[in-house]
Amino acid sequence: MRQGRWASLIVVCALLVTRASMPAQDSLLPLAPETKYDPAIPTIAKVLGYEHGARITPPEDVHRYLRALADAAPDRVRLVEYARSWQNRPLWLMAIGNRERMARFDALKASRSELADPRQASAADIDRLVRDQPVVTALLHSVHGNEISGVDAALAEAYHLLAATGDAEVDLIMRESIVLIDPMQNPDGRARFIASNTHGHAMRADRDPLAAERDEPWPGGRTNHYLFDLNRDWFPQNHPESQGKVKFMLEWLPQVTVDLHEMGGDGQYYFPPAAAPNTPNTTAAQRTWLTTFGKANAARFDKRGFQYFIREVYDSFYPGYGASWPFFIGSLGKTFEMAGARGLEYRRADGTLLTFRDGVVRHFTAAIQTAATAARNREKLLRDFIDYRRSAVTEGGATEYVLLAGNDPARAERLAQLLVKNGLLVRRVDAPAKLGTRDVAAGSFIVPLAQPMGRLARTLLDAHTSMGEEFIAEQDRRRKLRLPDQIYDITAWSLPALYDVELIVSEKPTGAKTSPYPAANRAPVNLPAAQVGYLIPWGTGMAAAMADVVREGLTVRTAGGGFTIAGRQFGIGTAIVRNEENPANLRERLGRVAAAHGLEVVPIDTAWVDAGLSLGSGTVRLLKAPRVVLVWDAPAQSLSAGWARFSLERRFNQPVTAIRAGSLARANLSDYDVIILPAGSYGTALGEPLLSRVREWTRSGGTLITLGEASRWAATANLLSTSTELRDGRPDRPAAQAATADAPRQSGAEKYDYDAAITPARERPEATSGVIARVKMNLEHWLSSGTDGDVQAMVEGDRVFKPLTLDRGTNVGVYADEATLVASGLVWPEVRRQLARKAFLMHEPLGQGHVVAFAEDPNFRGFTELTQLLLMNAVLFGPVR
Ligand SMILES: [Zn+2]
């Protein structure tokens, strides 16, 4: 009895849960209205207990269902774990094909490499490839974790391809193609979204746009563990999610690639052709194909009565998107965008209902249609794919891009490694060579453009990539009317500029003695004996090696100035490792560190300097492992906080404690040497008395580092003795606002000027969308260690800082003059004029401590290699200066 009562209660509860989480039955939109399915293939209802789109499937259940499908159809499916996320969740790739092909899966996969470099292929070889190879369609889902319908659409796509019977379209797809389904590109972000969504659940699905279930708390579910946007990480490849993905793309060489997203809930559906500007360096054939596929999608959507738009909003200019990077292997890259319900049901602004299932069905429909279009055009797509790679080789001609080793060979090598990860062929210079009047040192790198992905080499390495004159003219028109621009992302990404590695374009082969890179194994470093010890020039390699130096128990000092010893010049920051203060087996231990980080170690038998700073001088300081706090959570901007954490932890092996802004008041600040404030406006979060404690901590020796918007805030909070500027050069201060807001701009006596009358009284400078600016460094300052005095920085937004006056501090980095300011990207003349010779990196001593302020975010997307070093300089040197 008692037991029976409990049992019936449980049944009632289960029904309530189901009612609450499912839209009304009559609103269920069918996946594929006329398709019959094989009952031997398990439905999602059978495995997970609900229909497609009735629940938001959590990461572990995505695997459970795909596993069940793979087990039910082992002759047509391979389920492969291609990577692990930072939070140790598996990333899956499901390959689906017909029995004949999947029976010889390994041979099929290996044979794809024949498509990779077809330059030696004869016409007969190409005919054979086109006859034998399947077309490969890659369907990649939900790279943004809170764009939820993609993942559930992926489950429906896999089911449909395996279970549909007597369906001519599915038969065509299985006969002509292999479909690669990456169901969930960002499992950590999805898990974060589902947690906040579940905690916000009301009794029934809440349609209110502001309902807690869809109003994500900081940092939201879009990004991965390090709060990076993975749809900007295709070429930087900072994350295992992107590394694994690019690897399988390079192995499988898909002809068609789709990246399925969600946009705001008030939209409908977007598929390409994309908005201007296009991916750089694409071919006419690729652009034509986008129209072919777009029209096929449109026909299907028209048939089902689904609304859509094309050629608006979503461009493909930045090469790190899923909609752009695939073009460079010869594929077609596409973004699909579905209106996002961010829950099961959403009320649009016009009152109409959007359900999660609406998203699942539309994504499913567009994805299957795309696979069908690819299958229908198999031969032509394969032929064009081969032609893309052959024509890239021809187009490259004899041109070679030479990356000079320069003052920090470890940085040039990091760039070479990144190019290799992108599928590019790179050669290392083995012996010094001449290029005209220039010396090419051993350890430089050569990238021949005559290679199948040569267009990617140009796109990543060229100084400028044009957005097209027509597009730029339209943006110029719009900005003058204060209309929002149509620039979707950054306008510059040139890697030699950001790595500060000099690139020389050689129109003919350099003839330098080279070997393939990377070499099979790195030579061990056998340090010679030295009477005094060793010097290591400061740079990204040495900064990243500091954690290992500490682990090996080594004592390292840093030079507070430049010097010349035994005829060689060393810059400020140079690491000094002396025998007398290190263990007896120093050679062995330092050799291990040098090998791991590619360090150049210079033995010295005397400390006698020919010029400059003495090695025993007072400004030679003992380096110690700094204790670092990174302020976390709102009001810090999540991207900036995540970039900083990644840069410190993963790039430089520097441990950090992330403390939420709201808990900082409870921290014992004297336990820490460095506090980093990511971009954000901390006005209310860091009010008095916490602010005065931070000031006191700084005075007693702390190093406070502010990034981007946090530097603007620091200037208003009297931590930094400067201010940002308004468009007309006046300081952007609340007091200034009050003083000028009431001031009449014109008296009645003046001649009426319409243009003056409509000009706002108080405007911030015009925002830049992401450009690379040249910065001049003060080489006498320790913050500039490891640079050659000229660096390039990513600039975005509207921050223009007045330089510090001489009595207050040092402007360690100052933007170059107007004529030379822009290294890459689109900067309007007014901004160019205003930004020139303004402060980029400021150092203001405060008591025993320092305030170090970056005008911009030095860790932008984790690919601004040189400015990341500047942050590390502040972290490592601030506490000992
Ligand atoms: Zn997205």
Side-chain angles (χ1 to χ4, degrees), residues 142-147 222 229 231-232 259-263 314 335-337 342 488:
S142 297
V143 69
H144 296 135
N146 60 355
E147 300 176 2
R222 177 182 175 88
D229 185 334
N231 194 34
R232 304 294 183 276
D259 200 28
L260 294 98
H261 291 253
E262 282 184 358
M263 55 190 163
Y314 300 102
T335 286
F336 289 175
E337 297 275 353
R342 298 287 193 277
Y488 195 80

Side-chain angles (χ1 to χ4, degrees), residues 628-632 641 644-645 648 656-660 674 676-678:
V628 181
V629 165
L630 175 66
V631 176
W632 200 244
R645 189 177 205 172
L648 293 165
V656 297
T657 300
I659 296 183
R660 296 183 197 282
V674 177
I676 301 174
L677 287 168

Side-chain angles (χ1 to χ4, degrees), residues 287-303:
R287 293 191 292 276
T288 305
W289 275 118
L290 289 187
T291 303
T292 306
F293 277 83
K295 281 183 173 171
N297 275 350
R300 178 67 60 98
F301 271 48
D302 288 342
K303 200 170 166 193

Side-chain angles (χ1 to χ4, degrees), residues 581-629:
E581 52 190 10
N582 274 291
N585 60 350
L586 171 65
R587 277 168 68 189
E588 186 189 316
R589 294 187 188 203
L590 188 58
R592 271 201 296 271
V593 177
H597 296 275
L599 304 180
E600 187 201 4
V601 182
V602 184
I604 46 168
D605 291 321
T606 172
W608 175 263
V609 293
D610 305 324
L613 186 88
S614 289
L615 301 193
S617 163
T619 61
V620 174
R621 299 283 165 82
L622 196 63
L623 278 172
K624 54 179 187 173
R627 300 162 299 171
V628 181
V629 165

Side-chain angles (χ1 to χ4, degrees), residues 665-724:
R666 292 191 279 132
N668 181 3
L669 299 183
S670 63
D671 287 346
Y672 302 101
D673 304 304
V674 177
I675 298 176
I676 301 174
L677 287 168
S681 187
Y682 296 86
T684 48
L686 262 67
E688 300 290 348
L690 175 55
L691 200 50
S692 47
R693 277 181 59 209
V694 169
R695 267 190 219 106
E696 211 36 61
W697 167 85
T698 311
R699 270 193 205 98
S700 55
T703 299
L704 179 70
I705 304 172
T706 59
L707 312 180
E709 275 303 295
S711 300
R712 191 203 295 276
W713 166 82
T716 63
N718 294 321
L719 287 165
L720 190 63
S721 305
T722 183
S723 64
T724 50

